[in-house]
Amino acid sequence: MTRTASLLFMLALAMAPAWAQHSHVHGQARLDVAIDGPLLALAFEAPLDSLVGFEHRPRSPAQRQAAEAAIARLRDTAALWQPDAAAQCSATETTLDIDALQPSATPAAAVAAEHAEASGRYVFHCAAPAQLKAVTQNLFDAFPRLQRLDVQVAGPGGQVKQTLRRPAKAVRLVR
Ligand SMILES: [Zn+2]
C-alpha cells in the first residue's frame, strides 16, 4: 500500500458523516470502524471524563499520573484491539489526539480545554480480510469509568450501528 493510498483512506474516514449528531456524554465513547479491502480502521473518541475523570489539563501530581496512564493505554494498540486472529491483521498506523491530556504552562489553554476529548485512530492491514468478522475491544478494561461505547461500522455490508455496554467486548463487523 502506498503512502498516498493510506492518506486518502484516512481522509475518507475522517470525512465519514458517521457522527452527524456529535455527542459528548460522560461515561460514554464513540467508535467508528471502517473496512476497505485489506484495511481496517478504528477511530475512537471519548470525553476526557470517560478516560480520566476530569476534563481540564492535568494539574495535580495525581492527575498527571492518571493522564500519563491513559495516554499509555491509548498507545497500546495490541492491548486495546484484537481483530479476529484468522484475518491476520497487523497494526500499521496509530495516531492519537491527546493534547488535552498534556500538562500546559498557560492558564488560557487550561480554560479552553473544558469538556475536552481525546481520540485515537488505529489502522490495521489484514492478510485475510474475508475472515474478519469481529474485533475484540478492551476499552472497558483500560478505562474503568467508561460504561458505554457507541459503534458505527462502515464496510462492504453497508453501515451498521451497535451499542456496547460494559462489559461487552465484541464489535461485530458483519450483519
Ligand atoms: Zn464533558
PDB file of all heavy atoms in Angstrom, residues 44 70-77 80-81 93-99 101-102 118-122:
ATOM      1  N   PHE A  44     -11.484   6.063  17.550  1.00  0.00           N
ATOM      2  CA  PHE A  44     -12.054   6.088  18.902  1.00  0.00           C
ATOM      3  C   PHE A  44     -12.014   7.521  19.420  1.00  0.00           C
ATOM      4  O   PHE A  44     -11.014   8.207  19.283  1.00  0.00           O
ATOM      5  CB  PHE A  44     -11.232   5.165  19.809  1.00  0.00           C
ATOM      6  CG  PHE A  44     -11.554   5.267  21.270  1.00  0.00           C
ATOM      7  CD1 PHE A  44     -12.791   4.852  21.747  1.00  0.00           C
ATOM      8  CD2 PHE A  44     -10.628   5.755  22.175  1.00  0.00           C
ATOM      9  CE1 PHE A  44     -13.090   4.935  23.099  1.00  0.00           C
ATOM     10  CE2 PHE A  44     -10.918   5.842  23.532  1.00  0.00           C
ATOM     11  CZ  PHE A  44     -12.155   5.433  23.991  1.00  0.00           C
ATOM     12  N   ALA A  70      -3.500   7.050  31.032  1.00  0.00           N
ATOM     13  CA  ALA A  70      -4.490   6.995  29.945  1.00  0.00           C
ATOM     14  C   ALA A  70      -3.802   7.053  28.586  1.00  0.00           C
ATOM     15  O   ALA A  70      -4.172   6.322  27.656  1.00  0.00           O
ATOM     16  CB  ALA A  70      -5.485   8.144  30.090  1.00  0.00           C
ATOM     17  N   ILE A  71      -2.791   7.919  28.473  1.00  0.00           N
ATOM     18  CA  ILE A  71      -2.061   8.027  27.197  1.00  0.00           C
ATOM     19  C   ILE A  71      -1.387   6.700  26.870  1.00  0.00           C
ATOM     20  O   ILE A  71      -1.432   6.224  25.730  1.00  0.00           O
ATOM     21  CB  ILE A  71      -1.032   9.173  27.267  1.00  0.00           C
ATOM     22  CG1 ILE A  71      -1.760  10.530  27.319  1.00  0.00           C
ATOM     23  CG2 ILE A  71      -0.072   9.118  26.083  1.00  0.00           C
ATOM     24  CD1 ILE A  71      -0.863  11.708  27.650  1.00  0.00           C
ATOM     25  N   ALA A  72      -0.783   6.091  27.892  1.00  0.00           N
ATOM     26  CA  ALA A  72      -0.103   4.815  27.660  1.00  0.00           C
ATOM     27  C   ALA A  72      -1.091   3.748  27.191  1.00  0.00           C
ATOM     28  O   ALA A  72      -0.791   2.945  26.297  1.00  0.00           O
ATOM     29  CB  ALA A  72       0.599   4.363  28.937  1.00  0.00           C
ATOM     30  N   ARG A  73      -2.304   3.767  27.771  1.00  0.00           N
ATOM     31  CA  ARG A  73      -3.307   2.759  27.368  1.00  0.00           C
ATOM     32  C   ARG A  73      -3.789   3.034  25.957  1.00  0.00           C
ATOM     33  O   ARG A  73      -4.030   2.103  25.175  1.00  0.00           O
ATOM     34  CB  ARG A  73      -4.469   2.755  28.352  1.00  0.00           C
ATOM     35  CG  ARG A  73      -4.036   2.232  29.709  1.00  0.00           C
ATOM     36  CD  ARG A  73      -5.192   1.916  30.635  1.00  0.00           C
ATOM     37  NE  ARG A  73      -4.645   1.569  31.946  1.00  0.00           N
ATOM     38  CZ  ARG A  73      -4.802   2.311  33.036  1.00  0.00           C
ATOM     39  NH1 ARG A  73      -5.535   3.406  32.998  1.00  0.00           N
ATOM     40  NH2 ARG A  73      -4.254   1.946  34.164  1.00  0.00           N
ATOM     41  N   LEU A  74      -3.957   4.314  25.611  1.00  0.00           N
ATOM     42  CA  LEU A  74      -4.390   4.649  24.243  1.00  0.00           C
ATOM     43  C   LEU A  74      -3.339   4.249  23.214  1.00  0.00           C
ATOM     44  O   LEU A  74      -3.658   3.917  22.078  1.00  0.00           O
ATOM     45  CB  LEU A  74      -4.677   6.151  24.129  1.00  0.00           C
ATOM     46  CG  LEU A  74      -5.965   6.637  24.804  1.00  0.00           C
ATOM     47  CD1 LEU A  74      -6.014   8.166  24.828  1.00  0.00           C
ATOM     48  CD2 LEU A  74      -7.195   6.082  24.085  1.00  0.00           C
ATOM     49  N   ARG A  75      -2.068   4.309  23.620  1.00  0.00           N
ATOM     50  CA  ARG A  75      -0.974   3.964  22.697  1.00  0.00           C
ATOM     51  C   ARG A  75      -0.839   2.462  22.507  1.00  0.00           C
ATOM     52  O   ARG A  75      -0.219   2.013  21.540  1.00  0.00           O
ATOM     53  CB  ARG A  75       0.362   4.472  23.266  1.00  0.00           C
ATOM     54  CG  ARG A  75       0.581   5.927  23.052  1.00  0.00           C
ATOM     55  CD  ARG A  75       2.052   6.241  22.731  1.00  0.00           C
ATOM     56  NE  ARG A  75       2.145   7.642  22.368  1.00  0.00           N
ATOM     57  CZ  ARG A  75       2.466   8.596  23.236  1.00  0.00           C
ATOM     58  NH1 ARG A  75       2.783   8.283  24.460  1.00  0.00           N
ATOM     59  NH2 ARG A  75       2.486   9.851  22.846  1.00  0.00           N
ATOM     60  N   ASP A  76      -1.397   1.683  23.438  1.00  0.00           N
ATOM     61  CA  ASP A  76      -1.157   0.239  23.438  1.00  0.00           C
ATOM     62  C   ASP A  76      -2.137  -0.457  22.494  1.00  0.00           C
ATOM     63  O   ASP A  76      -3.096  -1.105  22.923  1.00  0.00           O
ATOM     64  CB  ASP A  76      -1.287  -0.290  24.870  1.00  0.00           C
ATOM     65  CG  ASP A  76      -0.702  -1.687  25.007  1.00  0.00           C
ATOM     66  OD1 ASP A  76      -0.395  -2.309  23.962  1.00  0.00           O
ATOM     67  OD2 ASP A  76      -0.556  -2.157  26.146  1.00  0.00           O
ATOM     68  N   THR A  77      -1.876  -0.323  21.214  1.00  0.00           N
ATOM     69  CA  THR A  77      -2.783  -0.845  20.184  1.00  0.00           C
ATOM     70  C   THR A  77      -3.076  -2.334  20.388  1.00  0.00           C
ATOM     71  O   THR A  77      -4.228  -2.759  20.315  1.00  0.00           O
ATOM     72  CB  THR A  77      -2.154  -0.631  18.791  1.00  0.00           C
ATOM     73  OG1 THR A  77      -1.870   0.761  18.640  1.00  0.00           O
ATOM     74  CG2 THR A  77      -3.094  -1.077  17.688  1.00  0.00           C
ATOM     75  N   LEU A  80      -5.537  -2.897  23.258  1.00  0.00           N
ATOM     76  CA  LEU A  80      -6.874  -2.331  23.088  1.00  0.00           C
ATOM     77  C   LEU A  80      -7.705  -3.083  22.061  1.00  0.00           C
ATOM     78  O   LEU A  80      -8.910  -3.247  22.235  1.00  0.00           O
ATOM     79  CB  LEU A  80      -6.780  -0.862  22.637  1.00  0.00           C
ATOM     80  CG  LEU A  80      -6.543   0.204  23.691  1.00  0.00           C
ATOM     81  CD1 LEU A  80      -6.609   1.573  23.036  1.00  0.00           C
ATOM     82  CD2 LEU A  80      -7.554   0.106  24.823  1.00  0.00           C
ATOM     83  N   TRP A  81      -7.078  -3.487  20.956  1.00  0.00           N
ATOM     84  CA  TRP A  81      -7.827  -4.006  19.813  1.00  0.00           C
ATOM     85  C   TRP A  81      -7.306  -5.360  19.389  1.00  0.00           C
ATOM     86  O   TRP A  81      -6.112  -5.507  19.142  1.00  0.00           O
ATOM     87  CB  TRP A  81      -7.702  -3.044  18.618  1.00  0.00           C
ATOM     88  CG  TRP A  81      -7.910  -1.613  18.971  1.00  0.00           C
ATOM     89  CD1 TRP A  81      -6.951  -0.637  19.019  1.00  0.00           C
ATOM     90  CD2 TRP A  81      -9.157  -0.960  19.298  1.00  0.00           C
ATOM     91  NE1 TRP A  81      -7.530   0.561  19.366  1.00  0.00           N
ATOM     92  CE2 TRP A  81      -8.860   0.393  19.544  1.00  0.00           C
ATOM     93  CE3 TRP A  81     -10.462  -1.411  19.410  1.00  0.00           C
ATOM     94  CZ2 TRP A  81      -9.854   1.316  19.902  1.00  0.00           C
ATOM     95  CZ3 TRP A  81     -11.439  -0.491  19.773  1.00  0.00           C
ATOM     96  CH2 TRP A  81     -11.131   0.850  20.000  1.00  0.00           C
ATOM     97  N   GLU A  93      -0.703   1.835  11.545  1.00  0.00           N
ATOM     98  CA  GLU A  93      -0.640   3.253  11.918  1.00  0.00           C
ATOM     99  C   GLU A  93      -1.425   3.470  13.207  1.00  0.00           C
ATOM    100  O   GLU A  93      -2.511   2.925  13.373  1.00  0.00           O
ATOM    101  CB  GLU A  93      -1.280   4.139  10.845  1.00  0.00           C
ATOM    102  CG  GLU A  93      -0.553   4.185   9.520  1.00  0.00           C
ATOM    103  CD  GLU A  93      -1.275   5.080   8.516  1.00  0.00           C
ATOM    104  OE1 GLU A  93      -1.796   6.137   8.927  1.00  0.00           O
ATOM    105  OE2 GLU A  93      -1.324   4.708   7.331  1.00  0.00           O
ATOM    106  N   THR A  94      -0.876   4.284  14.073  1.00  0.00           N
ATOM    107  CA  THR A  94      -1.602   4.733  15.265  1.00  0.00           C
ATOM    108  C   THR A  94      -1.406   6.238  15.372  1.00  0.00           C
ATOM    109  O   THR A  94      -0.283   6.719  15.345  1.00  0.00           O
ATOM    110  CB  THR A  94      -1.056   4.052  16.538  1.00  0.00           C
ATOM    111  OG1 THR A  94      -1.262   2.642  16.427  1.00  0.00           O
ATOM    112  CG2 THR A  94      -1.776   4.554  17.781  1.00  0.00           C
ATOM    113  N   THR A  95      -2.521   6.968  15.444  1.00  0.00           N
ATOM    114  CA  THR A  95      -2.461   8.425  15.544  1.00  0.00           C
ATOM    115  C   THR A  95      -3.331   8.858  16.710  1.00  0.00           C
ATOM    116  O   THR A  95      -4.523   8.564  16.729  1.00  0.00           O
ATOM    117  CB  THR A  95      -3.011   9.080  14.253  1.00  0.00           C
ATOM    118  OG1 THR A  95      -2.410   8.446  13.130  1.00  0.00           O
ATOM    119  CG2 THR A  95      -2.689  10.568  14.229  1.00  0.00           C
ATOM    120  N   LEU A  96      -2.743   9.516  17.677  1.00  0.00           N
ATOM    121  CA  LEU A  96      -3.500   9.953  18.846  1.00  0.00           C
ATOM    122  C   LEU A  96      -3.642  11.469  18.862  1.00  0.00           C
ATOM    123  O   LEU A  96      -2.700  12.184  18.518  1.00  0.00           O
ATOM    124  CB  LEU A  96      -2.800   9.515  20.138  1.00  0.00           C
ATOM    125  CG  LEU A  96      -2.557   8.019  20.344  1.00  0.00           C
ATOM    126  CD1 LEU A  96      -1.948   7.794  21.714  1.00  0.00           C
ATOM    127  CD2 LEU A  96      -3.835   7.228  20.185  1.00  0.00           C
ATOM    128  N   ASP A  97      -4.823  11.926  19.266  1.00  0.00           N
ATOM    129  CA  ASP A  97      -5.004  13.339  19.580  1.00  0.00           C
ATOM    130  C   ASP A  97      -5.232  13.422  21.087  1.00  0.00           C
ATOM    131  O   ASP A  97      -6.338  13.203  21.578  1.00  0.00           O
ATOM    132  CB  ASP A  97      -6.184  13.942  18.817  1.00  0.00           C
ATOM    133  CG  ASP A  97      -6.361  15.430  19.135  1.00  0.00           C
ATOM    134  OD1 ASP A  97      -5.654  15.935  20.038  1.00  0.00           O
ATOM    135  OD2 ASP A  97      -7.205  16.068  18.499  1.00  0.00           O
ATOM    136  N   ILE A  98      -4.162  13.692  21.805  1.00  0.00           N
ATOM    137  CA  ILE A  98      -4.189  13.636  23.270  1.00  0.00           C
ATOM    138  C   ILE A  98      -3.726  14.959  23.857  1.00  0.00           C
ATOM    139  O   ILE A  98      -3.274  15.021  25.004  1.00  0.00           O
ATOM    140  CB  ILE A  98      -3.277  12.489  23.779  1.00  0.00           C
ATOM    141  CG1 ILE A  98      -1.916  12.571  23.091  1.00  0.00           C
ATOM    142  CG2 ILE A  98      -3.925  11.147  23.536  1.00  0.00           C
ATOM    143  CD1 ILE A  98      -0.882  11.644  23.662  1.00  0.00           C
ATOM    144  N   ASP A  99      -3.880  16.005  23.069  1.00  0.00           N
ATOM    145  CA  ASP A  99      -3.396  17.320  23.507  1.00  0.00           C
ATOM    146  C   ASP A  99      -3.992  17.708  24.857  1.00  0.00           C
ATOM    147  O   ASP A  99      -3.310  18.269  25.712  1.00  0.00           O
ATOM    148  CB  ASP A  99      -3.734  18.360  22.434  1.00  0.00           C
ATOM    149  CG  ASP A  99      -3.073  19.689  22.747  1.00  0.00           C
ATOM    150  OD1 ASP A  99      -1.854  19.685  22.968  1.00  0.00           O
ATOM    151  OD2 ASP A  99      -3.782  20.704  22.798  1.00  0.00           O
ATOM    152  N   LEU A 101      -4.730  16.006  27.275  1.00  0.00           N
ATOM    153  CA  LEU A 101      -4.195  15.243  28.409  1.00  0.00           C
ATOM    154  C   LEU A 101      -2.794  15.708  28.808  1.00  0.00           C
ATOM    155  O   LEU A 101      -2.223  15.218  29.784  1.00  0.00           O
ATOM    156  CB  LEU A 101      -4.145  13.748  28.068  1.00  0.00           C
ATOM    157  CG  LEU A 101      -5.497  13.015  28.066  1.00  0.00           C
ATOM    158  CD1 LEU A 101      -5.361  11.648  27.402  1.00  0.00           C
ATOM    159  CD2 LEU A 101      -6.010  12.854  29.493  1.00  0.00           C
ATOM    160  N   GLN A 102      -2.249  16.629  28.031  1.00  0.00           N
ATOM    161  CA  GLN A 102      -0.890  17.096  28.307  1.00  0.00           C
ATOM    162  C   GLN A 102      -0.939  18.280  29.260  1.00  0.00           C
ATOM    163  O   GLN A 102      -1.777  19.158  29.106  1.00  0.00           O
ATOM    164  CB  GLN A 102      -0.209  17.545  26.998  1.00  0.00           C
ATOM    165  CG  GLN A 102      -0.330  16.556  25.858  1.00  0.00           C
ATOM    166  CD  GLN A 102       0.679  15.415  25.938  1.00  0.00           C
ATOM    167  OE1 GLN A 102       1.359  15.271  26.947  1.00  0.00           O
ATOM    168  NE2 GLN A 102       0.752  14.623  24.890  1.00  0.00           N
ATOM    169  N   ALA A 118     -10.414  13.210  23.880  1.00  0.00           N
ATOM    170  CA  ALA A 118      -9.196  12.621  23.328  1.00  0.00           C
ATOM    171  C   ALA A 118      -9.622  11.603  22.283  1.00  0.00           C
ATOM    172  O   ALA A 118     -10.723  11.057  22.348  1.00  0.00           O
ATOM    173  CB  ALA A 118      -8.359  11.955  24.416  1.00  0.00           C
ATOM    174  N   SER A 119      -8.765  11.386  21.316  1.00  0.00           N
ATOM    175  CA  SER A 119      -9.134  10.433  20.267  1.00  0.00           C
ATOM    176  C   SER A 119      -7.905   9.685  19.767  1.00  0.00           C
ATOM    177  O   SER A 119      -6.766  10.117  19.961  1.00  0.00           O
ATOM    178  CB  SER A 119      -9.818  11.157  19.099  1.00  0.00           C
ATOM    179  OG  SER A 119      -8.928  12.061  18.499  1.00  0.00           O
ATOM    180  N   GLY A 120      -8.187   8.551  19.165  1.00  0.00           N
ATOM    181  CA  GLY A 120      -7.131   7.747  18.578  1.00  0.00           C
ATOM    182  C   GLY A 120      -7.624   7.087  17.312  1.00  0.00           C
ATOM    183  O   GLY A 120      -8.796   6.705  17.222  1.00  0.00           O
ATOM    184  N   ARG A 121      -6.755   6.997  16.312  1.00  0.00           N
ATOM    185  CA  ARG A 121      -7.063   6.271  15.077  1.00  0.00           C
ATOM    186  C   ARG A 121      -6.050   5.155  14.924  1.00  0.00           C
ATOM    187  O   ARG A 121      -4.857   5.367  15.049  1.00  0.00           O
ATOM    188  CB  ARG A 121      -6.962   7.198  13.860  1.00  0.00           C
ATOM    189  CG  ARG A 121      -8.063   8.199  13.804  1.00  0.00           C
ATOM    190  CD  ARG A 121      -7.846   9.169  12.656  1.00  0.00           C
ATOM    191  NE  ARG A 121      -8.872  10.179  12.695  1.00  0.00           N
ATOM    192  CZ  ARG A 121     -10.104  10.006  12.197  1.00  0.00           C
ATOM    193  NH1 ARG A 121     -10.412   8.870  11.605  1.00  0.00           N
ATOM    194  NH2 ARG A 121     -11.000  10.949  12.301  1.00  0.00           N
ATOM    195  N   TYR A 122      -6.584   3.983  14.647  1.00  0.00           N
ATOM    196  CA  TYR A 122      -5.754   2.793  14.570  1.00  0.00           C
ATOM    197  C   TYR A 122      -6.046   2.103  13.249  1.00  0.00           C
ATOM    198  O   TYR A 122      -7.194   1.799  12.954  1.00  0.00           O
ATOM    199  CB  TYR A 122      -6.073   1.839  15.722  1.00  0.00           C
ATOM    200  CG  TYR A 122      -6.019   2.503  17.089  1.00  0.00           C
ATOM    201  CD1 TYR A 122      -7.112   3.229  17.567  1.00  0.00           C
ATOM    202  CD2 TYR A 122      -4.889   2.414  17.887  1.00  0.00           C
ATOM    203  CE1 TYR A 122      -7.070   3.842  18.818  1.00  0.00           C
ATOM    204  CE2 TYR A 122      -4.836   3.022  19.142  1.00  0.00           C
ATOM    205  CZ  TYR A 122      -5.933   3.740  19.593  1.00  0.00           C
ATOM    206  OH  TYR A 122      -5.893   4.350  20.827  1.00  0.00           O
TER     207      TYR A 122
END
